[in-house]
Structures are given as structure tokens and as C-alpha cells.
Amino acid sequence: KRDQSKKIVVFCQPKSGSTFLTNIIAKTLNLDIQNLTTFSYRPTNFGINNREQELCELSFLKSVFRSSNNGGFIAQHHTKANSYLVNQINYFNIKPIILTRNIFDSLVSNDDFIVKNHLHAKENNYPNFLINGNEVVPQNYIELSSEKRLDFLAKSYGIWYVQFYLYWKRYLKYL
């Protein structure tokens, strides 16, 4: 008997509208939103979800059993394609949605996101604003000119965005 449950994963660039898209699909198809990056449901104080968001089989199986919709769910992850991930997608019958956005728009949106969160961190006396657990935004980020902030983001995120696009383009033929 073939598994007919809907298992959808939105693989996306940061600041690409992925949270909005995931929520719309979840509501429309009545699917639970799950986290597939570790066996932990939420990030822990130990930083368990702070790696490059590779999918974890234990987390995947837990999501299938935990789902209130006969094993169906949707997840959203900032994950670059690789052969291991493609094998997981094919083996577990995952329906991938690859979401991209104009890199320049993403960088501007990311800048806005960081400025807002950096202001919050500064107001609460946090020493640095952390993104993805390992990238430290300079403490003077909000004091930098827009041009210097975007230059910082292009050097730190721009390469990731290009890799994300090219890796998925390369591996799509194997899905």
C-alpha cells in the first residue's frame, strides 16, 4: 500500500516569503507545520537547531507520527540541495517546493529584519544579535550606512543565496 499522506517541505532562501507561503498551504490543506531539522521540536538552549538545516530522519519520523493529519504535514527550511537530501526527498515521498526571491530584494528585507531585531537586542542589553546561531551581526550594525549594511549582507548572505539557487538547479533533475 502506497503512502498517500501529504508531506510537503518548502525549501527556501531566508526572507523569501516562505513563512507566509507555508502558513497559507498549511491552512488550505489542513496540515500541521513541523520542524524536520532535528529530533527536537524547538531549538534548545544548547543550539541543537543551529546547523545548516539538514533534514533529520528521526525528526521526520516523529513528525509523521505526531501529525494530526494521518502523517501529513508541511515544513519550511533554509536548506541547500545535496545528494543526501535528494535521496531523503525521494525515499520519504516528500513533495518539495523550492522558493526563491530576487537576491537584492532578499538582502533589503534581511537588512530590515536585522535592524528591527538589533534595536530590540540593544534595548534589552543583549551583547550581540545572533542569526542562525553562528553569525554575529556587528554591534554597530544599526549605526552603519545603508550601503555598508547591504555590503556586509552581500558578503555574508549573497554567496549563500547564489549557492542555494545553483545547488537546487543542479539537483532538480534527480527529483
Side-chain angles (χ1 to χ4, degrees), residues 130-141:
L130 299 177
I131 300 175
N132 294 330
N134 58 3
E135 298 152 8
V136 179
V137 174
Q139 286 187 323
N140 67 338
Y141 186 84

Side-chain angles (χ1 to χ4, degrees), residues 147-160:
E147 182 179 330
K148 287 188 178 187
R149 290 195 317 263
L150 290 173
D151 184 57
F152 168 80
L153 293 177
K155 290 175 181 171
S156 57
Y157 288 91
I159 294 168
W160 191 96

Side-chain angles (χ1 to χ4, degrees), residues 22-35:
T22 300
N23 286 324
I24 291 293
I25 293 171
K27 287 183 195 299
T28 303
L29 298 179
N30 192 30
L31 295 173
D32 295 333
I33 298 174
Q34 300 288 345
N35 179 359

Side-chain angles (χ1 to χ4, degrees), residues 5-6 20 25 31 46 51 66 87 94 111 130 158 170:
S5 63
K6 288 182 173 55
F20 176 76
I25 293 171
L31 295 173
F46 301 108
R51 58 188 176 178
R66 184 176 39 224
N87 287 335
I94 295 170
D111 177 58
L130 299 177
R170 179 184 307 149

Side-chain angles (χ1 to χ4, degrees), residues 80-148:
K80 296 179 215 170
N82 59 59
S83 59
Y84 178 64
L85 177 60
V86 168
N87 287 335
Q88 288 177 308
I89 290 169
N90 291 330
Y91 183 81
F92 291 117
N93 197 26
I94 295 170
K95 173 66 178 167
I97 296 174
I98 315 306
L99 182 62
T100 61
R101 180 180 179 186
N102 178 291
I103 292 174
F104 303 109
D105 290 343
S106 294
L107 291 175
V108 170
S109 181
N110 206 358
D111 177 58
D112 182 56
F113 173 78
I114 292 171
V115 167
K116 286 179 183 172
N117 284 285
H118 197 89
L119 287 169
H120 174 76
K122 192 171 186 176
E123 290 168 3
N124 291 287
N125 295 319
Y126 301 145
N128 279 312
F129 172 60
L130 299 177
I131 300 175
N132 294 330
N134 58 3
E135 298 152 8
V136 179
V137 174
Q139 286 187 323
N140 67 338
Y141 186 84
I142 56 176
E143 298 163 11
L144 298 174
S145 68
S146 178
E147 182 179 330
K148 287 188 178 187

